[in-house]
Amino acid sequence: MSSLSMNMSSSSEDDFTMSSSEVADRIAVMQQQESNTYACSDYIGNGNGHQSSKSVDRECRVKMIEWTYQVVDFCKFSRNTVAISMSYLDRFLSTSSPSAQRALVSKKVYQLAAMVTLYLSVKLFEPMAMDPTLLAEISQGCYTEQEIESMEQEILTALQWRLNGPTSLDFMTHILSLLPKSANSTDNSAMMA
């Protein structure tokens, strides 16, 4: 029986205010992490030579992003989970892993990888975890529980278990914290002038 189960670990946002220099330091560290440890390439536009009718393209990526948003919205998960999931997917597809290379030329393998990266991000960052059986059911029989678990292991190995990189939302949160409080005002008279 498929299910969602409670994840007892809780993550909370920083409940303190940082100085501008601390925010700048954090942004610099995140940029360094993104450039080195959590780097990825433009696997769609890099001319990888796989131009068959089954090649993964921007449309495939957009469809999978839309699907992941539908799942997280239905489950009432944070939409940041999609950003984390796509970060995992992009980084995985940028590796030389045989499964990643297959996913670049097979829409079915790409879809499986995208589903599994969502599964991973939910497992790590949401209060409820998806069961692999549920994911198999969501796939409407396209993938088995064993295929999902196997792809999970392949993704974790390819990413060297590095699953806590910065996301675009992390950058924006820090950048927006640098704005003066008056910039967050909802005073419409200033906007009308």
Side-chain angles (χ1 to χ4, degrees):
M1 179 87 195
S2 60
S3 67
L4 290 173
S5 61
M6 282 300 282
N7 178 356
M8 298 311 289
S9 65
S10 63
S11 62
S12 62
E13 297 296 318
D14 295 338
D15 291 330
F16 58 92
T17 304
M18 292 183 282
S19 70
S20 295
S21 64
E22 289 170 323
V23 172
D25 287 345
R26 280 196 176 193
I27 292 172
V29 168
M30 290 190 308
Q31 285 176 316
Q32 183 181 15
Q33 289 175 330
E34 188 178 53
S35 297
N36 300 325
T37 308
Y38 298 102
C40 67
S41 65
D42 180 6
Y43 58 86
I44 291 176
N46 69 359
N48 58 19
H50 304 297
Q51 299 301 322
S52 72
S53 62
K54 292 189 176 215
S55 289
V56 171
D57 57 15
R58 292 185 198 293
E59 185 179 328
C60 294
R61 188 171 190 279
V62 168
K63 285 182 181 179
M64 288 313 301
I65 291 170
E66 289 171 351
W67 179 84
T68 55
Y69 275 122
Q70 289 174 355
V71 172
V72 297
D73 289 347
F74 179 80
C75 295
K76 307 231 184 305
F77 293 148
S78 167
R79 292 186 122 220
N80 191 40
T81 301
V82 174
I84 295 166
S85 171
M86 295 313 293
S87 172
Y88 293 166
L89 180 63
D90 292 342
R91 289 178 34 232
F92 171 64
L93 295 174
S94 297
T95 69
S96 59
S97 161
S99 291
Q101 296 307 304
R102 280 192 306 278
L104 290 172
V105 295
S106 168
K107 291 180 180 179
K108 184 175 181 182
V109 178
Y110 178 81
Q111 182 181 39
L112 174 61
M115 291 177 76
V116 171
T117 58
L118 176 63
Y119 167 69
L120 278 168
S121 62
V122 166
K123 187 190 285 191
L124 294 171
F125 295 99
E126 292 294 342
M128 305 290 276
M130 283 192 255
D131 185 79
T133 307
L134 176 62
L135 205 57
E137 288 176 14
I138 290 172
S139 79
Q140 299 177 341
C142 288
Y143 311 105
T144 65
E145 184 178 343
Q146 293 76 24
E147 288 173 313
I148 291 164
E149 290 173 338
S150 176
M151 181 61 81
E152 176 185 23
Q153 187 60 48
E154 291 177 45
I155 290 170
L156 290 169
T157 300
L159 297 181
Q160 300 174 340
W161 288 78
R162 293 182 175 150
L163 302 175
N164 205 21
T167 65
S168 55
L169 183 61
D170 295 327
F171 279 101
M172 289 309 303
T173 301
H174 282 78
I175 291 167
L176 290 174
S177 75
L178 294 172
L179 294 175
K181 296 293 180 204
S182 62
N184 296 327
S185 169
T186 58
D187 181 13
N188 290 333
S189 63
M191 292 177 11
M192 298 295 211

